[in-house]
């Protein structure tokens, strides 16, 4: 049952990160907020591991792999995206860059972990990207470049964030196939915090306005995103192809647009609706059970999500 529901639950939870980011930006600097989020996530995951009897990695190598994967999956990825948006990269542009991640994953997976996609899955990835492009194109065309200049550095950082999460996903698949996901998740947030604190000290004033709104945003970020969504993502990566798991990211921007329309009154346009339908079709094709056998030496690459 979890295998069938996990993809839908993950997409729903992860899409709320855009809403949380919009709320949290009013009360804290982005990297400072992320440092708080990771700190609380570490505390709660460690408590959860102790109470549930989770097994911790015994070798320094296994511990190192968990920390390194967290640096890329959380620290560099979210840090880059949140900082870039804080520097003026429009959400529409950031969304289309996020849509590149499944294509990045599919492109490099054969080289790094020997994972191959069939024609149907490749078509699904392309359809998913086209759906995202259609959904955000009106917003991109409506941007007044003179009023909202986009500097190359924030854009480059945003793209680097997508590259970081792509590498982190493949790293997770290659080096962390075994081990307790609970303790691995705790160590990954240690890695995220290791890189986020120095970046926050260098780039921000560490501004935080403590109030009920900030506490609510932080609570959901920790419980809903850092614990719930990430645990599901690690579960999906372990059970199926990383390209399949990554293709779910296609559904996040359209769903986030719908949430923005619900909570902030932003317009939900026909291209967004059509783009969402196309993206859903692409994800369906990418995640359908493949008839081809798994390549030798690659674990679980053809198991359903």
């Amino acid at each position: 049952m979890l295998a069938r529901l996990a993809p839908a639950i993950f997409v729903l939870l992860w899409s709320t990160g855009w809403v949380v980011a919009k709320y949290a930006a009013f009360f804290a600097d982005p990297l400072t907020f992320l440092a708080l989020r990771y700190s609380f996530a570490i505390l709660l995951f460690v408590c959860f591991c102790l109470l549930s009897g989770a097994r911790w990695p015994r070798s320094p190598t296994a511990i190192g792999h968990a920390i390194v994967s967290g640096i890329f999956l959380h620290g560099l990825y979210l840090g880059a995206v949140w900082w870039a948006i804080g520097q003026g990269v429009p959400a529409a542009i950031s969304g289309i860059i996020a849509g590149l991640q499944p294509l990045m994953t599919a492109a490099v997976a054969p080289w790094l972990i020997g994972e191959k996609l069939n024609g149907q899955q490749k078509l699904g990835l392309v359809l998913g990207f086209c759906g995202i492009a259609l959904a955000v194109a009106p917003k991109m065309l409506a941007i007044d470049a003179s009023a909202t200049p986009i500097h190359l550095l924030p854009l480059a950082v945003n793209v680097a964030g997508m590259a970081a999460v792509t590498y982190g996903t493949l790293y997770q698949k290659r080096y962390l196939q075994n081990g307790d996901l609970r303790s691995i998740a705790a160590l990954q947030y240690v890695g995220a915090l290791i890189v986020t604190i120095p970046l926050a000290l260098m780039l921000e004033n560490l501004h935080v306005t403590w109030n009920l709104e900030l506490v609510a945003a932080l609570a959901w970020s920790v419980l809903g995103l850092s614990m719930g969504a990430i645990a599901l993502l690690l579960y999906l990566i372990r059970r199926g192809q990383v390209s399949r798991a990554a293709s779910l990211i296609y559904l996040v921007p359209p769903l986030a647009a719908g949430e923005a329309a619900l909570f902030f009154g932003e317009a939900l346009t026909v291209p967004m609706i059509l783009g969402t339908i196309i993206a859903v079709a692409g994800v369906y094709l990418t995640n359908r059970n493949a008839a081809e056998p798994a390549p030798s030496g690659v674990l679980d690459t053809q198991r359903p999500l």
Side-chain angles (χ1 to χ4, degrees), residues 7-20 37-38 73-74 77-78 82 98 101 162 165 189 220-221 224-233 248-253 255-256 259:
I9 297 173
F10 164 73
V11 170
L12 180 61
L13 290 176
W14 197 245
S15 68
T16 63
W18 299 83
V19 177
V20 172
R37 170 178 164 178
Y38 298 149
L73 276 175
H74 307 314
Y77 164 52
L78 286 180
W82 282 46
Q101 193 237 322
M162 291 304 103
V165 73
Y189 282 116
W220 179 251
S221 293
L225 297 174
S226 293
M227 297 194 73
I230 293 302
L232 285 172
L233 178 60
L248 297 172
I249 302 299
Y250 280 145
L251 299 180
V252 172
L255 190 56
E259 292 167 1

Side-chain angles (χ1 to χ4, degrees), residues 78 148 170 188 227 237:
L78 286 180
T148 55
L170 295 169
Q188 285 178 330
M227 297 194 73
I237 292 173

Side-chain angles (χ1 to χ4, degrees), residues 84-164:
I85 292 175
Q87 295 297 308
V89 175
I93 301 295
S94 183
I96 197 65
I97 294 174
L100 294 174
Q101 193 237 322
L103 291 178
M104 288 184 184
T105 303
V108 299
W111 301 97
L112 294 183
I113 61 174
E115 178 179 290
K116 297 181 180 180
L117 301 181
N118 58 29
Q120 171 188 286
Q121 292 172 313
K122 293 177 181 178
L123 175 61
L125 288 170
V126 173
L127 277 178
F129 178 76
C130 291
I132 292 300
L134 176 62
V136 303
K139 287 188 176 182
M140 294 177 64
L141 295 175
I143 295 172
D144 184 352
S146 62
T148 55
I150 307 172
H151 299 293
L152 291 179
L153 178 59
L155 276 177
V157 170
N158 204 147
V159 174
M162 291 304 103

Side-chain angles (χ1 to χ4, degrees), residues 41-51 56 182 186-187 190:
I42 292 170
L43 178 62
L44 291 180
F45 259 116
V46 169
C47 292
F48 178 63
C49 289
L50 293 176
L51 292 174
W56 292 87
R182 294 166 292 182
L187 291 171
V190 172

Side-chain angles (χ1 to χ4, degrees), residues 2 8 24 43 54 62 89 100 105 110 161 179 194-197 231-232 281 293 303:
L2 178 60
L43 178 62
V89 175
L100 294 174
T105 303
I194 287 174
V195 297
T196 303
I197 287 180
L232 285 172
R303 294 178 62 180

